[in-house]
């Protein structure tokens, strides 16, 4: 059972920023927030993760609220190839490799 | 230069048969996993191996048996296949038990 809540689906216009929210109100102090995505018929792809500070890499930015009860994944300039299911996962990384995927958010980028 | 690869990509077989799915990673990772994604698209961990030793075995029927000949390979053998075994099976790997996991392309198993 996933410990996160995400909207079932979202649309975004091509070239615009896609902001995907995730609620994790029961997150513990030693749990990280991970984001993966799954493009149709492919394996899940790692995007980004963070503990409490905001993070940015070549794919996306992760904004975590100060109380850590929610976060937002930002794709700054969405393209059609970003259409996928996006999974927000919380996990304890110390001595634990168990990742529990929920239903995710189906993001559709439209031209 | 595929990081995590699986064979075959598609597998169609009859109920009652025994089949294997192979996974190889060339990332030098110590930990490998098997996940199952059912028809409702939920992705669930089945097994985890660290340095060829089993460290997670979720509630999976004992018809499923992972085999790790070396730390770069984790194969999944399934005995007496059932209709409910039809799913997409993903292999993944990571450096250690706490690190980011990287997934293979999946094997779509169809049991008739």
């Amino acid at each position: 059972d996933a410990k996160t809540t995400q909207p079932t689906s979202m649309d975004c216009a091509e070239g615009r920023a896609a902001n995907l929210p995730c609620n994790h109100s029961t997150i513990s102090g030693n749990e990280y927030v991970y984001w993966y995505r799954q493009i149709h018929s492919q394996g899940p792809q790692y995007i980004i993760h963070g503990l409490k500070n905001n993070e940015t890499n070549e794919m996306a930015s992760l904004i975590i609220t100060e109380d850590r009860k929610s976060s937002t994944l930002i794709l700054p300039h969405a393209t059609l190839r970003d259409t996928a299911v996006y999974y927000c996962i919380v996990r304890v990384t110390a001595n634990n490799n168990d990742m529990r995927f929920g239903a995710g958010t189906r993001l559709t980028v439209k031209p | 230069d595929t990081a995590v690869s699986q064979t075959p990509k598609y597998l169609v077989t009859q109920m009652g048969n025994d089949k294997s799915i192979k996974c190889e990673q060339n990332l030098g990772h110590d930990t490998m996993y098997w996940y199952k994604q059912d028809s409702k698209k939920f992705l669930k961990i089945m097994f985890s191996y660290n340095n060829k030793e089993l460290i997670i075995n979720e509630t999976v029927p004992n018809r499923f048996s992972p085999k790790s000949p070396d730390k770069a390979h984790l194969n999944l053998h399934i005995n007496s296949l059932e209709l409910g075994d039809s799913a997409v099976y993903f292999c993944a790997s990571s450096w250690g038990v706490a690190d980011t996991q990287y997934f293979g392309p999946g094997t779509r198993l169809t049991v008739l």
Side-chain angles (χ1 to χ4, degrees):
Chain A
D1 50 336
K3 299 170 65 173
T4 62
T5 304
Q6 299 176 251
T8 304
S9 63
M10 293 181 64
D11 291 342
C12 177
E14 190 179 17
R16 298 287 194 144
N19 298 295
L20 292 96
C22 179
N23 285 324
H24 30 79
S25 57
T26 60
I27 193 170
S28 302
N30 59 351
E31 287 184 315
Y32 286 71
V33 179
Y34 274 74
W35 283 85
Y36 279 77
R37 72 180 182 184
Q38 188 172 23
I39 297 170
H40 181 63
S41 298
Q42 296 181 24
Q45 178 188 21
Y46 167 76
I47 301 174
I48 199 167
H49 75 281
L51 183 62
K52 52 183 177 180
N53 295 326
N54 298 337
E55 302 287 345
T56 296
N57 63 20
E58 64 279 4
M59 289 183 70
S61 294
L62 174 61
I63 309 297
I64 303 174
T65 57
E66 195 169 338
D67 63 7
R68 303 210 321 123
K69 293 186 177 183
S70 65
S71 60
T72 301
L73 178 75
I74 301 172
L75 307 178
H77 305 286
T79 71
L80 299 178
R81 286 180 294 184
D82 291 322
T83 292
V85 178
Y86 287 77
Y87 297 99
C88 169
I89 301 161
V90 295
R91 65 183 285 225
V92 176
T93 57
N95 297 318
N96 184 316
N97 58 14
D98 187 6
M99 288 209 306
R100 296 186 183 267
F101 287 78
T105 296
R106 180 171 296 280
L107 175 69
T108 303
V109 180
K110 298 186 173 181
Chain B
D1 59 342
T2 305
V4 183
S5 58
Q6 297 178 226
T7 52
K9 187 168 175 62
Y10 300 97
L11 182 55
V12 181
T13 188
Q14 300 283 338
M15 265 179 22
N17 284 350
D18 302 339
K19 290 293 178 185
S20 292
I21 306 172
K22 295 186 176 182
C23 177
E24 177 180 1
Q25 54 94 5
N26 62 5
L27 298 167
H29 288 168
D30 288 332
T31 311
M32 296 185 72
Y33 313 80
W34 277 107
Y35 284 81
K36 178 181 180 181
Q37 188 167 39
D38 60 24
S39 57
K40 295 183 179 178
K41 303 297 185 182
F42 285 104
L43 196 61
K44 191 169 182 183
I45 193 166
M46 300 173 69
F47 298 102
S48 171
Y49 263 75
N50 179 255
N51 277 322
K52 300 187 347 178
E53 290 188 19
L54 181 66
I55 52 176
I56 284 183
N57 181 0
E58 295 290 306
T59 308
V60 174
N62 58 14
R63 299 182 295 103
F64 290 79
S65 53
K67 294 269 191 313
S68 182
D70 55 61
K71 74 173 192 177
H73 296 84
L74 182 64
N75 304 323
L76 183 64
H77 189 76
I78 314 169
N79 289 328
S80 303
L81 278 156
E82 300 177 358
L83 294 176
D85 297 333
S86 294
V88 182
Y89 292 83
F90 290 100
C91 177
S93 72
S94 63
W95 282 111
V97 297
D99 296 311
T100 300
Q101 296 178 21
Y102 296 90
F103 285 77
T107 295
R108 181 174 294 277
L109 171 65
T110 302
V111 182
L112 304 175

